Amino acid sequence: MRVRVLAFARIREIVGSAERTVELAEGGTAGRVWDDLVREFPQLGEIERSTRLARNGALVEREAALHDGDELAFMPPFGGG
Amino acid sequence: MRVRVLAFARIREIVGSAERTVELAEGGTAGRVWDDLVREFPQLGEIERSTRLARNGALVEREAALHDGDELAFMPPFGGG
Amino acid sequence: MKYEITREPLDLEPLIEAVRSDACGAIVAFLGVVRELGDGDQPVDGLSYEAYPEMALPEMRAIGAEASRKFGEARVAIVHRIGDLRLGEASVAVAVAAPHRGVAFDACEYAMDELKARVSIWKKEHFRSGEARWRPNAAPGV
Amino acid sequence: MKYEITREPLDLEPLIEAVRSDACGAIVAFLGVVRELGDGDQPVDGLSYEAYPEMALPEMRAIGAEASRKFGEARVAIVHRIGDLRLGEASVAVAVAAPHRGVAFDACEYAMDELKARVSIWKKEHFRSGEARWRPNAAPGV
């Protein structure tokens, strides 16, 4: 299945782009996509604890199952206001 | 001595004017001017307890002594805002 | 910063301009507006305000200075309108700028509470029925 | 009432127009402004904001609805600016109308507290030194 991955703020800068599409096996989780990303960009390891995950616009835990066409966002702590 | 008397809001309406000049004997007090006014306009008696007195722009008690040229204001409870 | 009693319609922009500064990250503004159900819950057509400006203006300045002192570094402006106001028109405008928002909210609320209690301005409610009545502010804490 | 994420400079007037109603006697507005000393107390030249609007806008609406429910009859509008902002420019504007001022102040402060904690928007501080740093909001109550 294919999942759209969005990266914001510091995460976007480390990854070098705001958006990418990833292929992963059925039964893949949000945490799995994140782990793959950390493997590719080890600098993300530093901010792993504070990163929040959202699936289709709603916060989820690492264990959240993904489905084809999902939008998965990796977000640092918010700074609006 | 002469004192300028200002009346506001309901008091102004009862008295029929915003401003008058009164003559009173040396040693006269703010309360004395008020009492004279109540004698002239008995309707003021109803609101006597809530009326505040100011001499030259500062709140004073009835006992406050007046001097020639003073400005004395009679004020109902405030309603600004 | 800016303290006025005016017969003209109120405009928030000049108040905000008067209080803003490079040190301030938060601006809180308050507008008191003539509403349909006055304090007495009888439909209102409009209000008229009367002031003793020689006493009201120094008190407004004093309130602004107190707010500034109590809520560190707040910059305060207060303008009150007098005369005849219709439904929806603003009777009072307060603007506060401060480094942080908590202080700005507190100072603005303080200024309005004190204004209602201490400033020599009076309000007459004109009811739709044709009657009218001077309406004092509720005592603090009521 | 009105919830937006925009790249344009913020203007309070349309927000106030969006929330006002004949039942409301109090309007409280908040502007968050870029200040010289950012949260980190290093001189700041400007900020840049980035949003995930598909998530941020529904959250802004949810906050407005909560504020309205918690603080009876409050009418809420929230607009956040993104992109590059210079010193003195407003990043966020909130307007609240309510029958009485206590409710309006509470609802406006609630909306700002929740926005900082829950809305997917990020801020980068650009220091005068030429350095830059993403700045998360402090945890609630800090």
Side-chain angles (χ1 to χ4, degrees):
Chain A
M1 61 176 170
R2 293 178 143 229
V3 171
R4 223 170 111 219
V5 174
L6 305 182
F8 291 99
R10 177 112 195 269
I11 300 175
R12 173 179 56 72
E13 290 180 343
I14 293 173
V15 170
S17 67
E19 194 176 328
R20 51 162 61 188
T21 302
V22 303
E23 287 277 352
L24 79 164
E26 288 304 319
T29 62
R32 174 61 196 272
V33 178
W34 173 255
D35 291 340
D36 287 348
L37 207 65
V38 175
R39 213 162 296 126
E40 193 177 340
F41 302 98
Q43 232 192 310
L44 291 175
E46 294 168 29
I47 55 170
E48 173 150 24
R49 277 189 51 213
S50 64
T51 296
R52 297 192 222 185
L53 287 60
R55 183 185 57 198
N56 303 327
L59 290 172
V60 292
E61 299 298 319
R62 288 176 52 97
E63 294 69 31
L66 297 177
H67 301 281
D68 191 49
D70 277 355
E71 181 174 284
L72 184 64
F74 296 126
M75 308 183 294
F78 302 143
Chain B
M1 62 177 168
R2 294 178 142 230
V3 171
R4 221 169 113 222
V5 173
L6 306 181
F8 292 99
R10 178 111 193 270
I11 299 175
R12 173 179 54 72
E13 291 180 343
I14 292 172
V15 171
S17 68
E19 197 178 326
R20 49 163 62 191
T21 303
V22 302
E23 285 279 354
L24 78 166
E26 287 305 319
T29 62
R32 173 62 195 271
V33 178
W34 173 255
D35 290 340
D36 288 348
L37 207 64
V38 174
R39 214 164 295 125
E40 192 177 343
F41 302 98
Q43 232 192 309
L44 291 174
E46 295 167 27
I47 56 170
E48 173 151 24
R49 278 189 51 212
S50 64
T51 296
R52 299 193 221 185
L53 287 59
R55 183 187 57 199
N56 303 327
L59 291 173
V60 291
E61 299 298 321
R62 289 176 52 95
E63 293 69 32
L66 297 177
H67 302 280
D68 191 50
D70 278 353
E71 180 173 286
L72 183 63
F74 296 126
M75 309 183 293
F78 303 142
Chain C
M1 312 274 113
K2 186 182 171 86
Y3 299 90
E4 279 178 20
I5 292 173
T6 176
R7 296 193 165 268
E8 302 304 314
L10 301 186
D11 188 2
L12 215 43
E13 269 326 302
L15 259 75
I16 289 178
E17 286 312 312
V19 298
R20 62 157 71 243
S21 92
D22 283 354
C24 292
I27 296 173
V28 172
F30 176 84
L31 279 179
V33 172
V34 179
R35 71 189 190 106
E36 198 164 30
L37 290 180
D39 297 338
D41 288 338
Q42 267 194 68
V44 154
D45 255 351
L47 300 179
S48 47
Y49 285 89
E50 173 176 332
Y52 179 14
E54 292 79 0
M55 191 170 172
L57 270 174
E59 198 70 21
M60 285 158 65
R61 278 181 219 282
I63 290 168
E66 284 166 28
S68 188
R69 198 162 353 106
K70 284 172 105 82
F71 306 98
E73 297 180 64
R75 295 162 56 87
V76 183
I78 307 174
V79 178
H80 205 298
R81 186 172 169 193
I82 56 172
D84 297 324
L85 279 72
R86 285 161 307 172
L87 210 62
E89 291 192 302
S91 53
V92 60
V94 178
V96 175
H100 298 285
R101 73 186 185 287
V103 168
F105 277 110
D106 288 348
C108 190
E109 205 164 359
Y110 175 85
M112 274 307 302
D113 290 347
E114 296 299 309
L115 181 145
K116 291 207 154 217
R118 293 163 45 185
V119 174
S120 46
I121 296 178
W122 298 271
K123 166 176 59 216
K124 192 172 194 174
E125 293 181 328
H126 299 274
F127 301 114
R128 217 169 279 162
S129 63
E131 289 171 69
R133 214 197 113 145
W134 291 97
R135 168 74 60 183
N137 290 328
V142 175
Chain D
M1 314 276 114
K2 186 183 171 89
Y3 299 91
E4 280 179 19
I5 292 173
T6 176
R7 296 193 165 268
E8 303 303 316
L10 301 187
D11 188 1
L12 215 43
E13 270 323 304
L15 258 75
I16 288 176
E17 286 311 312
V19 297
R20 62 158 71 242
S21 91
D22 283 354
C24 292
I27 295 173
V28 172
F30 176 84
L31 279 179
V33 172
V34 180
R35 71 190 189 105
E36 197 164 31
L37 290 180
D39 297 337
D41 288 338
Q42 268 195 66
V44 154
D45 255 350
L47 300 179
S48 48
Y49 284 89
E50 171 176 333
Y52 178 13
E54 293 80 359
M55 191 169 172
L57 269 174
E59 198 71 19
M60 286 158 66
R61 278 181 220 281
I63 289 168
E66 284 166 28
S68 189
R69 200 161 352 105
K70 284 172 106 81
F71 306 97
E73 297 179 61
R75 295 161 58 86
V76 183
I78 308 174
V79 178
H80 205 297
R81 185 171 170 194
I82 55 173
D84 298 324
L85 278 73
R86 285 161 306 172
L87 211 61
E89 291 192 301
S91 55
V92 61
V94 178
V96 174
H100 298 286
R101 72 185 187 286
V103 168
F105 277 110
D106 288 348
C108 191
E109 205 164 0
Y110 174 85
M112 274 307 303
D113 289 348
E114 295 298 309
L115 181 146
K116 292 209 156 217
R118 292 164 45 185
V119 174
S120 45
I121 296 178
W122 298 271
K123 166 175 58 216
K124 192 172 195 175
E125 293 182 328
H126 299 273
F127 301 114
R128 215 169 281 161
S129 63
E131 288 171 69
R133 214 198 113 146
W134 292 98
R135 169 74 59 181
N137 290 329
V142 175

